[in-house]
Amino acid sequence: MFYRESGQYKTSYIADQAIFPIREDRIGMAIILAIAVFVIPWFSSEFLLTSVVIPFLILALATIGLNVLTGYAGQLSLGNGAFMGVGAYACYKLTTIFPDVNIIVMILLSGVFSAAIGIAFGLPSLRIKGLYLAVTTLAAQFFLEWCFIRIPWLYNYNASGAIEVPERRGFGDLILTGPSASPVTRYFVVLAIVVVLTLLVKNIVRGRIGRQWMMIRDMDIAAELIGVRPLTAKLSAFAVSSYLAGVSGAMFVFFYLGAAEPSSFGVSLSFQVLFMVILGGLGSLVGSFFGAAFIWILPIALRVGLPAIGIDVGAEIVFQIAQMVVGALIIFFLIAEPHGLARLWAIGKEKLRVWPFPYA
């Protein structure tokens, strides 16, 4: 009976529409943020921050972006990796053209270019849907990959064809990017951007725009009949989704990889983010974090855990085992629980509300 909303009275519309209306949810979120700020950066190893936590947060933001488009607006996309690449290349060009501007501003601005590209490739969604739209976004994936390879201006005519992250400072003399940037600094920057953008998306989803997305997803013809404009609803979903993908792609290079080639934003990345959405749960921001954590951390956990219990296998075997587990779980969730890990989390919370009584 420690998770119960009985007795928690709302005396204003603001309290009734709060993101976390239950006191226990607010306490739990405060504990999570306290752990993220005061425990993880100071008690984690450099490997854990660099190879696990930072990429997990970045991919969670990319998963939220695809969830906005697929989970909330019902528009299937297979080009999320390419939109991440647009953000990465845009941020690289902005930092070279305006070297004195704070890198965080450039990362946030890079999402604008990705949003513009997303709107352009989202125009076919006004006439086609389903598998045909998926093929269209897949074509966008291949076209943008071709641009990353064939347009030397994007990578400043580098002989290797790769973009290399320069050293940039901010907030005084603090090194934010480059080989000299500390993992703790990069972690705090990524954490701040992910938290702010997640709260922004949460409020968008709860508002008028989010309701339009869900009406288009559930029944687009009925939504149009009651006054929802498909042009505005669908293109705004593509814009927000591509913006988040662009910001996450810029952070993926500037705070995690350090350098990237066009293959870093291939179709495999698009499918990886799509699998995170499916496992985490369509139409759930919490599920986006669950899916990103599961798919990204599973291979690392197997690589560390199997030798610990006496099973010595190579890295390629671990990767194949992780792929098999993820594939089996995708089939299981599509059959048994289409709403993914987020639905299991919601069921657990519902059970706690009536515990120890079997019914309520």
Side-chain angles (χ1 to χ4, degrees):
M1 300 178 66
F2 53 86
Y3 184 78
R4 190 66 56 83
E5 53 195 308
S6 176
Q8 301 184 31
Y9 303 109
K10 312 296 189 305
T11 58
S12 65
Y13 287 112
I14 295 177
D16 188 52
Q17 296 297 320
I19 296 178
F20 302 105
I22 302 177
R23 183 190 310 112
E24 287 77 8
D25 287 339
R26 295 194 294 270
I27 295 174
M29 184 54 59
I31 293 174
I32 292 174
L33 289 177
I35 293 174
V37 174
F38 299 107
V39 177
I40 291 178
W42 311 117
F43 295 95
S44 299
S45 63
E46 182 175 338
F47 168 79
L48 187 62
L49 283 177
T50 304
S51 301
V52 179
V53 181
I54 291 177
F56 153 67
L57 291 173
I58 295 172
L59 289 174
L61 183 63
T63 306
I64 290 174
L66 184 57
N67 221 337
V68 165
L69 184 61
T70 303
Y72 287 100
Q75 310 300 308
L76 184 59
S77 173
L78 298 178
N80 208 60
F83 296 137
M84 292 175 65
V86 172
Y89 279 88
C91 187
Y92 178 69
K93 291 300 298 184
L94 288 174
T95 54
T96 55
I97 297 174
F98 306 101
D100 297 329
V101 180
N102 193 303
I103 187 62
I104 298 177
V105 176
M106 293 304 178
I107 288 174
L108 296 176
L109 285 178
S110 64
V112 177
F113 295 88
S114 184
I117 299 295
I119 291 174
F121 284 103
L123 288 173
S125 66
L126 302 176
R127 288 291 181 266
I128 59 178
K129 63 178 67 175
L131 181 61
Y132 300 100
L133 181 60
V135 172
T136 301
T137 55
L138 187 61
Q141 169 75 43
F142 294 136
F143 173 75
L144 291 174
E145 279 190 67
W146 180 88
C147 293
F148 300 154
I149 298 173
R150 300 299 181 184
I151 303 179
W153 178 80
L154 293 176
Y155 49 85
N156 288 344
Y157 304 93
N158 192 339
S160 64
I163 55 176
E164 300 174 356
V165 176
E167 181 179 299
R168 290 293 182 267
R169 300 172 183 265
F171 307 108
D173 202 34
L174 186 64
I175 301 176
L176 300 179
T177 62
S180 302
S182 68
V184 174
T185 302
R186 288 184 281 127
Y187 165 76
F188 275 119
V189 174
V190 171
L191 178 65
I193 293 176
V194 171
V195 169
V196 171
L197 291 182
T198 302
L199 288 175
L200 179 62
V201 173
K202 179 65 175 178
N203 282 284
I204 292 176
V205 168
R206 287 163 11 109
R208 176 178 57 85
I209 298 176
R211 291 194 294 270
Q212 290 180 352
W213 293 344
M214 288 180 274
M215 284 188 284
I216 289 292
R217 174 197 64 190
D218 295 336
M219 189 172 293
D220 53 351
I221 296 178
E224 187 174 4
L225 290 175
I226 64 176
V228 175
R229 297 182 61 192
L231 173 66
T232 304
K234 292 183 179 181
L235 293 188
S236 64
F238 269 96
V240 173
S241 174
S242 301
Y243 178 84
L244 296 176
V247 172
S248 62
M251 293 195 297
F252 196 64
V253 174
F254 278 73
F255 295 120
Y256 172 56
L257 294 177
E261 297 179 347
S263 59
S264 302
F265 305 101
V267 69
S268 59
L269 179 60
S270 297
F271 279 106
Q272 185 180 35
V273 177
L274 179 62
F275 296 156
M276 291 176 181
V277 172
I278 294 174
L279 280 180
L282 290 169
S284 171
L285 298 184
V286 175
S288 300
F289 286 93
F290 286 159
F294 186 88
I295 291 184
W296 183 258
I297 296 176
L298 178 62
I300 300 175
L302 290 175
R303 194 178 305 124
V304 175
L306 290 179
I309 61 177
I311 303 176
D312 191 11
V313 295
E316 68 282 357
I317 301 298
V318 171
F319 177 77
Q320 293 172 2
I321 293 174
Q323 294 292 96
M324 292 170 58
V325 172
V326 170
L329 285 175
I330 288 175
I331 296 174
F332 169 78
F333 277 111
L334 288 176
I335 296 174
E337 185 51 77
H339 294 288
L341 296 172
R343 180 56 185 165
L344 298 181
W345 173 257
I347 292 174
K349 292 173 65 176
E350 291 173 4
K351 295 293 185 182
L352 284 176
R353 291 187 182 186
V354 299
W355 183 86
F357 307 106
Y359 305 104

